[in-house]
């Protein structure tokens, strides 16, 4: 935490700011979870320690609920799972993820008094719970969770009021954890220092989950999952650090409504106050000098004469159409939709936004599979530059993309050397046919690498 310090952020309460100048892609700080749990629906598909999706997970022989990659992950997680294991065995089944997370938080508080290291800037007890701001329905759900917790942990020393406080903290401060490819939310965790980073719809930082190094035999390094706060651009000394709590691909009024409902504050950031890019997100085309106001959401064919290229509805349909067509191996048509989607996203997102980088990566791979190697390689290189900032060089997504980038670079060289040979070899590789004399254009090893398509 040497790069940051706690400060009074006025109406926003506490906040974090930098103690030195930071550059794009620099890790501002890292933080292991205070407590974290896998979602109920994925309890048998995701390791309960490192949060990787795996096949053939090993089940805890005692509670028969927790699952792990291997013995190393199970050993690393035992301190956190020990009391949970006994509680599940006594109860006969595991409660929902909210109760499980609250229990892990309270067990950790009881053991470490809410602060687990010198680098933790705030105790868990001091985090906001916003119980007074909750709706009647939310309070009813909270009351049910508290009762389920007491059934799960009947010997707890904590009263209902303090347990309610913990549930309120989780509701407002819980951070969703993704799998190792960043493709699916698989769990939720509590990170006290991260909770101090305030919201901005156009933030200067992004959050990435690092799952640790699974190849290490050392249990500490093998599965030391942690979040990394990374700078999206240059950040000056003493500048406040911000992240976005909601998806920017919503108009300002919708973002403000979501923030008020979930986090109980009125967002007055510059993007919301000035309705930044709202006009692009809801842009309509003009026909004969008049704006068409009726927005069709049924299909792209009906949207084309109605919605602007940056309209959220059109972008969402373009994304779905591209993914479905790619799944059906109709890459040529999918590439056209993916290109239009990326063009719209580029006008809306921060240039180093992680979601933009992932979208460009998918579009680049789609163009590559469609045989459009020049455009595909260009997109893949652009995506790689963004993900180097948002994810870092050691993240599995970045490493996968680096392999793809090297492969498309090799194919692009072949394409520029002899376009006809390239397309002939590509078709032969896709159809598993021998390439004959055309294999002379590259070495045998290079051909295998160049024409090995990842579907």
């Amino acid at each position: 935490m040497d790069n940051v310090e706690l400060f009074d952020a006025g109406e926003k309460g506490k906040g974090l700011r930098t103690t030195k100048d930071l550059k794009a892609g620099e890790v501002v700080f890292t933080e292991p979870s205070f407590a974290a749990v896998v979602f109920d629906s994925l309890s048998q598909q995701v390791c309960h320690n490192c949060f990787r999706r795996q096949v053939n997970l090993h089940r805890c022989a005692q509670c028969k609920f927790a699952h792990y990659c291997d013995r190393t992950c199970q050993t690393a997680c035992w301190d956190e799972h020990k009391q949970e294991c006994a509680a599940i065995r006594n109860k006969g089944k595991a409660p929902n993820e909210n109760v499980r997370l609250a229990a892990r938080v309270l067990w950790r508080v009881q053991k470490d008094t809410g602060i687990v290291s010198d680098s933790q800037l705030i105790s868990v007890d001091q985090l906001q719970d916003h119980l007074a701001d909750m709706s009647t329905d939310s309070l009813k759900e909270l009351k049910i969770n508290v009762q389920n917790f007491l059934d799960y942990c009947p010997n707890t020393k904590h009263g209902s009021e303090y347990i309610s406080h913990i549930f309120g903290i989780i509701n407002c401060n819980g951070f969703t954890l993704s799998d190792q490819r960043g493709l699916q939310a698989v769990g939720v965790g509590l990170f006290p220092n991260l909770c101090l980073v305030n919201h901005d719809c156009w933030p200067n930082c992004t959050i990435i989950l690092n799952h640790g190094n699974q190849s290490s035999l050392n249990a500490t390094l093998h599965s030391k999952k942690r979040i990394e706060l990374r700078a999206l651009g240059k950040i000056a000394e003493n500048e406040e650090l911000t992240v976005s709590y909601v998806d920017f691909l919503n108009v300002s009024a919708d973002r403000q409504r979501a923030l008020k409902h979930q986090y109980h504050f009125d967002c007055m950031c510059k993007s919301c106050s000035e309705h930044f890019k709202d006009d692009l997100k809801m842009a309509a085309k003009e026909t004969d000098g008049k704006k068409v106001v009726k927005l069709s959401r049924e299909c792209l064919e009906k949207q084309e004469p109605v919605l602007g290229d940056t309209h959220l509805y059109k972008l969402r349909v373009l994304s779905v159409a591209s993914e479905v067509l790619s799944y059906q191996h109709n890459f040529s048509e999918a590439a056209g939709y993916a290109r239009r989607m990326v063009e719209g996203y580029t006008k809306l997102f921060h240039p180093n936004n992680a979601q933009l980088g992932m979208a460009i990566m998918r579009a680049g791979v789609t163009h590559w599979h469609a045989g459009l190697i020049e455009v595909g390689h260009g997109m893949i290189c652009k995506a790689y530059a963004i993900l180097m900032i948002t994810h870092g060089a050691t993240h599995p997504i970045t490493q996968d993309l680096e392999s793809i980038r090297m492969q498309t670079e090799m194919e692009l060289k072949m394409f520029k050397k002899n376009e006809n040979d390239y397309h002939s070899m590509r078709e032969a590789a896709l159809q598993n046919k021998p390439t004959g004399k055309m294999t002379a254009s590259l070495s045998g090893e290079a051909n295998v690498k160049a024409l090995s398509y990842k579907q």
Side-chain angles (χ1 to χ4, degrees), residues 1 4-7 9 14-18 29 121 193-194 196-198 229 239-242:
M1 300 298 293
V4 302
E5 64 181 5
L6 194 62
F7 80 109
K14 294 182 176 67
L16 292 183
R17 63 187 177 192
T18 62
F29 69 81
L121 302 178
N193 287 341
L194 179 62
L196 295 170
V197 181
N198 287 317
L229 188 74
E239 184 177 341
E240 182 178 9
L241 299 169
T242 57

PDB file of all heavy atoms in Angstrom, residues 1 4-7 9 14-18 29 121 193-194 196-198 229 239-242:
ATOM      1  N   MET A   1       0.825  -1.213   0.000  1.00  0.00           N
ATOM      2  CA  MET A   1       0.000   0.000   0.000  1.00  0.00           C
ATOM      3  C   MET A   1       0.856   1.259   0.000  1.00  0.00           C
ATOM      4  O   MET A   1       0.387   2.329   0.354  1.00  0.00           O
ATOM      5  CB  MET A   1      -0.933  -0.009   1.213  1.00  0.00           C
ATOM      6  CG  MET A   1      -1.885  -1.181   1.270  1.00  0.00           C
ATOM      7  SD  MET A   1      -3.027  -1.266  -0.113  1.00  0.00           S
ATOM      8  CE  MET A   1      -4.031   0.196   0.161  1.00  0.00           C
ATOM      9  N   VAL A   4      -0.378   4.510  -1.967  1.00  0.00           N
ATOM     10  CA  VAL A   4      -1.638   5.190  -1.653  1.00  0.00           C
ATOM     11  C   VAL A   4      -1.679   5.623  -0.195  1.00  0.00           C
ATOM     12  O   VAL A   4      -0.913   5.148   0.639  1.00  0.00           O
ATOM     13  CB  VAL A   4      -2.849   4.272  -1.934  1.00  0.00           C
ATOM     14  CG1 VAL A   4      -2.869   3.823  -3.380  1.00  0.00           C
ATOM     15  CG2 VAL A   4      -2.845   3.073  -1.003  1.00  0.00           C
ATOM     16  N   GLU A   5      -2.619   6.528   0.076  1.00  0.00           N
ATOM     17  CA  GLU A   5      -2.876   6.942   1.453  1.00  0.00           C
ATOM     18  C   GLU A   5      -4.357   7.239   1.615  1.00  0.00           C
ATOM     19  O   GLU A   5      -5.050   7.588   0.646  1.00  0.00           O
ATOM     20  CB  GLU A   5      -2.044   8.172   1.822  1.00  0.00           C
ATOM     21  CG  GLU A   5      -2.369   9.428   1.023  1.00  0.00           C
ATOM     22  CD  GLU A   5      -1.492  10.617   1.406  1.00  0.00           C
ATOM     23  OE1 GLU A   5      -0.585  10.421   2.220  1.00  0.00           O
ATOM     24  OE2 GLU A   5      -1.733  11.725   0.876  1.00  0.00           O
ATOM     25  N   LEU A   6      -4.834   7.086   2.836  1.00  0.00           N
ATOM     26  CA  LEU A   6      -6.227   7.362   3.177  1.00  0.00           C
ATOM     27  C   LEU A   6      -6.409   8.861   3.350  1.00  0.00           C
ATOM     28  O   LEU A   6      -5.535   9.538   3.899  1.00  0.00           O
ATOM     29  CB  LEU A   6      -6.579   6.626   4.467  1.00  0.00           C
ATOM     30  CG  LEU A   6      -8.041   6.492   4.867  1.00  0.00           C
ATOM     31  CD1 LEU A   6      -8.824   5.708   3.824  1.00  0.00           C
ATOM     32  CD2 LEU A   6      -8.146   5.796   6.223  1.00  0.00           C
ATOM     33  N   PHE A   7      -7.549   9.398   2.853  1.00  0.00           N
ATOM     34  CA  PHE A   7      -7.799  10.835   3.037  1.00  0.00           C
ATOM     35  C   PHE A   7      -9.294  11.085   3.129  1.00  0.00           C
ATOM     36  O   PHE A   7     -10.115  10.215   2.817  1.00  0.00           O
ATOM     37  CB  PHE A   7      -7.170  11.641   1.899  1.00  0.00           C
ATOM     38  CG  PHE A   7      -7.976  11.666   0.628  1.00  0.00           C
ATOM     39  CD1 PHE A   7      -8.627  12.820   0.222  1.00  0.00           C
ATOM     40  CD2 PHE A   7      -8.095  10.525  -0.169  1.00  0.00           C
ATOM     41  CE1 PHE A   7      -9.366  12.849  -0.953  1.00  0.00           C
ATOM     42  CE2 PHE A   7      -8.841  10.545  -1.333  1.00  0.00           C
ATOM     43  CZ  PHE A   7      -9.479  11.708  -1.729  1.00  0.00           C
ATOM     44  N   ALA A   9     -12.458  12.439   1.721  1.00  0.00           N
ATOM     45  CA  ALA A   9     -12.933  12.785   0.378  1.00  0.00           C
ATOM     46  C   ALA A   9     -14.213  13.619   0.413  1.00  0.00           C
ATOM     47  O   ALA A   9     -14.995  13.608  -0.536  1.00  0.00           O
ATOM     48  CB  ALA A   9     -13.166  11.512  -0.428  1.00  0.00           C
ATOM     49  N   LYS A  14     -14.483   8.593   3.297  1.00  0.00           N
ATOM     50  CA  LYS A  14     -13.060   8.268   3.142  1.00  0.00           C
ATOM     51  C   LYS A  14     -12.772   7.913   1.692  1.00  0.00           C
ATOM     52  O   LYS A  14     -13.637   7.483   0.940  1.00  0.00           O
ATOM     53  CB  LYS A  14     -12.673   7.089   4.052  1.00  0.00           C
ATOM     54  CG  LYS A  14     -12.767   7.377   5.546  1.00  0.00           C
ATOM     55  CD  LYS A  14     -12.309   6.161   6.335  1.00  0.00           C
ATOM     56  CE  LYS A  14     -12.282   6.439   7.834  1.00  0.00           C
ATOM     57  NZ  LYS A  14     -13.626   6.662   8.395  1.00  0.00           N
ATOM     58  N   GLY A  15     -11.509   8.102   1.310  1.00  0.00           N
ATOM     59  CA  GLY A  15     -11.080   7.739  -0.034  1.00  0.00           C
ATOM     60  C   GLY A  15      -9.601   7.441  -0.047  1.00  0.00           C
ATOM     61  O   GLY A  15      -8.906   7.601   0.965  1.00  0.00           O
ATOM     62  N   LEU A  16      -9.105   6.970  -1.181  1.00  0.00           N
ATOM     63  CA  LEU A  16      -7.677   6.711  -1.351  1.00  0.00           C
ATOM     64  C   LEU A  16      -7.125   7.608  -2.447  1.00  0.00           C
ATOM     65  O   LEU A  16      -7.779   7.843  -3.465  1.00  0.00           O
ATOM     66  CB  LEU A  16      -7.430   5.243  -1.729  1.00  0.00           C
ATOM     67  CG  LEU A  16      -7.724   4.180  -0.667  1.00  0.00           C
ATOM     68  CD1 LEU A  16      -7.357   2.802  -1.206  1.00  0.00           C
ATOM     69  CD2 LEU A  16      -6.967   4.457   0.614  1.00  0.00           C
ATOM     70  N   ARG A  17      -5.911   8.113  -2.227  1.00  0.00           N
ATOM     71  CA  ARG A  17      -5.233   8.905  -3.254  1.00  0.00           C
ATOM     72  C   ARG A  17      -3.787   8.443  -3.378  1.00  0.00           C
ATOM     73  O   ARG A  17      -3.253   7.758  -2.484  1.00  0.00           O
ATOM     74  CB  ARG A  17      -5.287  10.390  -2.920  1.00  0.00           C
ATOM     75  CG  ARG A  17      -4.572  10.782  -1.631  1.00  0.00           C
ATOM     76  CD  ARG A  17      -4.825  12.241  -1.294  1.00  0.00           C
ATOM     77  NE  ARG A  17      -4.207  12.617  -0.022  1.00  0.00           N
ATOM     78  CZ  ARG A  17      -4.461  13.749   0.619  1.00  0.00           C
ATOM     79  NH1 ARG A  17      -5.336  14.620   0.115  1.00  0.00           N
ATOM     80  NH2 ARG A  17      -3.864  14.025   1.769  1.00  0.00           N
ATOM     81  N   THR A  18      -3.156   8.822  -4.459  1.00  0.00           N
ATOM     82  CA  THR A  18      -1.791   8.360  -4.719  1.00  0.00           C
ATOM     83  C   THR A  18      -0.784   9.168  -3.914  1.00  0.00           C
ATOM     84  O   THR A  18      -1.006  10.325  -3.573  1.00  0.00           O
ATOM     85  CB  THR A  18      -1.446   8.499  -6.211  1.00  0.00           C
ATOM     86  OG1 THR A  18      -1.515   9.877  -6.582  1.00  0.00           O
ATOM     87  CG2 THR A  18      -2.409   7.710  -7.064  1.00  0.00           C
ATOM     88  N   PHE A  29      -2.042  -1.167  -6.053  1.00  0.00           N
ATOM     89  CA  PHE A  29      -1.863  -2.041  -4.896  1.00  0.00           C
ATOM     90  C   PHE A  29      -2.535  -3.377  -5.164  1.00  0.00           C
ATOM     91  O   PHE A  29      -3.376  -3.505  -6.051  1.00  0.00           O
ATOM     92  CB  PHE A  29      -2.376  -1.397  -3.598  1.00  0.00           C
ATOM     93  CG  PHE A  29      -3.871  -1.230  -3.500  1.00  0.00           C
ATOM     94  CD1 PHE A  29      -4.699  -2.290  -3.137  1.00  0.00           C
ATOM     95  CD2 PHE A  29      -4.468   0.006  -3.720  1.00  0.00           C
ATOM     96  CE1 PHE A  29      -6.074  -2.132  -3.021  1.00  0.00           C
ATOM     97  CE2 PHE A  29      -5.835   0.182  -3.604  1.00  0.00           C
ATOM     98  CZ  PHE A  29      -6.641  -0.882  -3.259  1.00  0.00           C
ATOM     99  N   LEU A 121      -5.862  -0.830   5.754  1.00  0.00           N
ATOM    100  CA  LEU A 121      -6.049   0.546   6.205  1.00  0.00           C
ATOM    101  C   LEU A 121      -7.297   0.768   7.034  1.00  0.00           C
ATOM    102  O   LEU A 121      -7.446   1.822   7.655  1.00  0.00           O
ATOM    103  CB  LEU A 121      -6.085   1.485   4.976  1.00  0.00           C
ATOM    104  CG  LEU A 121      -4.842   1.457   4.079  1.00  0.00           C
ATOM    105  CD1 LEU A 121      -5.031   2.387   2.892  1.00  0.00           C
ATOM    106  CD2 LEU A 121      -3.600   1.844   4.864  1.00  0.00           C
ATOM    107  N   ASN A 193      -9.459  -2.814   1.839  1.00  0.00           N
ATOM    108  CA  ASN A 193      -8.792  -1.661   1.231  1.00  0.00           C
ATOM    109  C   ASN A 193      -9.477  -1.238  -0.067  1.00  0.00           C
ATOM    110  O   ASN A 193      -9.613  -0.045  -0.358  1.00  0.00           O
ATOM    111  CB  ASN A 193      -7.324  -1.979   0.956  1.00  0.00           C
ATOM    112  CG  ASN A 193      -6.498  -2.018   2.231  1.00  0.00           C
ATOM    113  OD1 ASN A 193      -6.904  -1.482   3.266  1.00  0.00           O
ATOM    114  ND2 ASN A 193      -5.338  -2.651   2.166  1.00  0.00           N
ATOM    115  N   LEU A 194      -9.915  -2.227  -0.861  1.00  0.00           N
ATOM    116  CA  LEU A 194     -10.615  -1.918  -2.109  1.00  0.00           C
ATOM    117  C   LEU A 194     -11.914  -1.156  -1.831  1.00  0.00           C
ATOM    118  O   LEU A 194     -12.319  -0.313  -2.627  1.00  0.00           O
ATOM    119  CB  LEU A 194     -10.911  -3.209  -2.865  1.00  0.00           C
ATOM    120  CG  LEU A 194     -11.661  -3.076  -4.189  1.00  0.00           C
ATOM    121  CD1 LEU A 194     -10.861  -2.255  -5.185  1.00  0.00           C
ATOM    122  CD2 LEU A 194     -11.967  -4.450  -4.766  1.00  0.00           C
ATOM    123  N   LEU A 196     -12.352   1.159   0.051  1.00  0.00           N
ATOM    124  CA  LEU A 196     -12.066   2.586   0.260  1.00  0.00           C
ATOM    125  C   LEU A 196     -11.940   3.350  -1.052  1.00  0.00           C
ATOM    126  O   LEU A 196     -11.892   4.580  -1.047  1.00  0.00           O
ATOM    127  CB  LEU A 196     -10.773   2.747   1.064  1.00  0.00           C
ATOM    128  CG  LEU A 196     -10.811   2.203   2.505  1.00  0.00           C
ATOM    129  CD1 LEU A 196      -9.407   2.193   3.094  1.00  0.00           C
ATOM    130  CD2 LEU A 196     -11.746   3.049   3.352  1.00  0.00           C
ATOM    131  N   VAL A 197     -11.856   2.639  -2.166  1.00  0.00           N
ATOM    132  CA  VAL A 197     -11.732   3.296  -3.479  1.00  0.00           C
ATOM    133  C   VAL A 197     -13.120   3.732  -3.930  1.00  0.00           C
ATOM    134  O   VAL A 197     -14.010   2.893  -4.116  1.00  0.00           O
ATOM    135  CB  VAL A 197     -11.098   2.356  -4.514  1.00  0.00           C
ATOM    136  CG1 VAL A 197     -10.949   3.071  -5.854  1.00  0.00           C
ATOM    137  CG2 VAL A 197      -9.747   1.851  -4.022  1.00  0.00           C
ATOM    138  N   ASN A 198     -13.318   5.024  -4.106  1.00  0.00           N
ATOM    139  CA  ASN A 198     -14.636   5.560  -4.449  1.00  0.00           C
ATOM    140  C   ASN A 198     -14.954   5.372  -5.931  1.00  0.00           C
ATOM    141  O   ASN A 198     -14.083   5.071  -6.748  1.00  0.00           O
ATOM    142  CB  ASN A 198     -14.719   7.035  -4.070  1.00  0.00           C
ATOM    143  CG  ASN A 198     -14.823   7.231  -2.569  1.00  0.00           C
ATOM    144  OD1 ASN A 198     -15.566   6.522  -1.894  1.00  0.00           O
ATOM    145  ND2 ASN A 198     -14.072   8.176  -2.025  1.00  0.00           N
ATOM    146  N   LEU A 229      -5.336  -3.542  -8.240  1.00  0.00           N
ATOM    147  CA  LEU A 229      -5.854  -2.264  -8.718  1.00  0.00           C
ATOM    148  C   LEU A 229      -4.819  -1.698  -9.676  1.00  0.00           C
ATOM    149  O   LEU A 229      -3.662  -1.464  -9.285  1.00  0.00           O
ATOM    150  CB  LEU A 229      -6.082  -1.304  -7.540  1.00  0.00           C
ATOM    151  CG  LEU A 229      -6.802  -0.005  -7.902  1.00  0.00           C
ATOM    152  CD1 LEU A 229      -8.284  -0.267  -8.158  1.00  0.00           C
ATOM    153  CD2 LEU A 229      -6.648   1.049  -6.805  1.00  0.00           C
ATOM    154  N   GLU A 239      -3.690  12.538  -6.522  1.00  0.00           N
ATOM    155  CA  GLU A 239      -4.981  12.418  -7.221  1.00  0.00           C
ATOM    156  C   GLU A 239      -5.777  11.261  -6.623  1.00  0.00           C
ATOM    157  O   GLU A 239      -5.217  10.219  -6.282  1.00  0.00           O
ATOM    158  CB  GLU A 239      -4.740  12.171  -8.710  1.00  0.00           C
ATOM    159  CG  GLU A 239      -6.020  12.134  -9.547  1.00  0.00           C
ATOM    160  CD  GLU A 239      -5.746  11.953 -11.030  1.00  0.00           C
ATOM    161  OE1 GLU A 239      -4.595  12.208 -11.455  1.00  0.00           O
ATOM    162  OE2 GLU A 239      -6.676  11.547 -11.757  1.00  0.00           O
ATOM    163  N   GLU A 240      -7.093  11.449  -6.480  1.00  0.00           N
ATOM    164  CA  GLU A 240      -7.928  10.401  -5.915  1.00  0.00           C
ATOM    165  C   GLU A 240      -8.018   9.216  -6.868  1.00  0.00           C
ATOM    166  O   GLU A 240      -8.126   9.382  -8.086  1.00  0.00           O
ATOM    167  CB  GLU A 240      -9.333  10.912  -5.610  1.00  0.00           C
ATOM    168  CG  GLU A 240     -10.220   9.840  -4.975  1.00  0.00           C
ATOM    169  CD  GLU A 240     -11.615  10.299  -4.611  1.00  0.00           C
ATOM    170  OE1 GLU A 240     -11.994  11.422  -5.005  1.00  0.00           O
ATOM    171  OE2 GLU A 240     -12.328   9.520  -3.952  1.00  0.00           O
ATOM    172  N   LEU A 241      -7.991   8.012  -6.312  1.00  0.00           N
ATOM    173  CA  LEU A 241      -8.140   6.792  -7.098  1.00  0.00           C
ATOM    174  C   LEU A 241      -9.621   6.438  -7.175  1.00  0.00           C
ATOM    175  O   LEU A 241     -10.342   6.503  -6.175  1.00  0.00           O
ATOM    176  CB  LEU A 241      -7.376   5.644  -6.439  1.00  0.00           C
ATOM    177  CG  LEU A 241      -5.864   5.856  -6.295  1.00  0.00           C
ATOM    178  CD1 LEU A 241      -5.271   4.790  -5.393  1.00  0.00           C
ATOM    179  CD2 LEU A 241      -5.183   5.841  -7.653  1.00  0.00           C
ATOM    180  N   THR A 242     -10.079   6.060  -8.353  1.00  0.00           N
ATOM    181  CA  THR A 242     -11.496   5.728  -8.543  1.00  0.00           C
ATOM    182  C   THR A 242     -11.635   4.479  -9.409  1.00  0.00           C
ATOM    183  O   THR A 242     -10.774   4.174 -10.241  1.00  0.00           O
ATOM    184  CB  THR A 242     -12.264   6.881  -9.225  1.00  0.00           C
ATOM    185  OG1 THR A 242     -11.635   7.195 -10.483  1.00  0.00           O
ATOM    186  CG2 THR A 242     -12.294   8.119  -8.348  1.00  0.00           C
TER     187      THR A 242
END
